[in-house]
Amino acid sequence: MRAPLAAPGLRLRPMDTGDIARVLKVEQRAYSFPWTRGNFIDSLAAGYLAEMLVDAQGELAGYFVAMPGVDEMHLLNLTVAPEWQRQGHACRLLDELEVRCRANQVPTLWLEVRASNDRARHVYRQRGFVEVGRRPRYYPAARGAREDAVVMRLAVPDAAGAP
């Protein structure tokens, strides 16, 4: 795990259903094919891990939603608001997710990312994720087309540093 990045005034807190309206505003600005209200409601109702990064005034900088499983965690959504991007906030969110995995003795973190999302793939690779496969035509794309997802895996080291 890397040391948490300095982010004055920013704190993590759990997401709840009262946050969905403003989460959706960020989601819709960040993506051409955003998650729906139902995706967030279903994730919260299922008890998935959902955390938000907010400033002192409560402005939403980013969030993640992850699904716990047996000996694994699956990152379903990690989003940084456009005006907060390129400041290390995605890494801070990933740090927190790794802490949660380690605390729950979860050795593997999975995710899918659009094949065209070079910036995110680069961040994930720098964090130690490896590309292990593809899901053909996984994501919706422009004009009714579909885009492949790249499946990535991170071996989460335990508290002693062993994978």
Side-chain angles (χ1 to χ4, degrees):
M1 182 179 94
R2 290 126 190 104
L5 297 171
L10 291 177
R11 65 183 174 85
L12 282 161
R13 74 164 183 79
M15 182 188 301
D16 63 41
T17 55
D19 297 311
I20 292 177
R22 67 191 181 131
V23 166
L24 283 172
K25 287 180 184 176
V26 170
E27 186 79 6
Q28 291 164 354
R29 286 186 297 120
Y31 300 114
S32 300
F33 298 93
W35 269 27
T36 66
R37 173 178 291 281
N39 292 133
F40 286 103
I41 289 172
D42 290 349
S43 294
L44 293 172
Y48 294 171
L49 179 60
E51 296 281 332
M52 300 182 357
L53 187 61
V54 297
D55 71 7
Q57 292 74 41
E59 183 181 344
L60 181 58
Y63 50 88
F64 69 78
V65 177
M67 178 179 64
V70 177
D71 292 331
E72 65 182 27
M73 183 78 73
H74 192 126
L75 178 59
L76 302 174
N77 186 325
L78 187 146
T79 302
V80 176
E83 63 274 17
W84 290 89
Q85 290 178 3
R86 297 185 179 268
Q87 298 175 46
H89 301 307
C91 290
R92 179 163 181 197
L93 291 166
L94 286 168
D95 283 343
E96 180 62 23
L97 190 52
E98 281 189 54
V99 166
R100 297 298 184 86
C101 288
R102 195 169 295 105
N104 292 297
Q105 299 178 339
V106 173
T108 307
L109 178 57
W110 296 92
L111 62 82
E112 290 92 12
V113 60
R114 284 181 180 273
S116 65
N117 193 342
D118 293 328
R119 193 165 89 184
R121 289 172 64 192
H122 177 74
V123 168
Y124 294 135
R125 280 191 302 270
Q126 283 189 316
R127 302 289 304 199
F129 283 84
V130 294
E131 296 184 6
V132 296
R134 282 192 177 242
R135 297 189 195 281
R137 302 176 42 79
Y138 186 79
Y139 290 110
R143 296 180 297 281
R146 304 291 295 181
E147 180 177 358
D148 289 0
V150 175
V151 179
M152 301 184 82
R153 180 183 57 80
L154 176 69
V156 179
D158 63 20

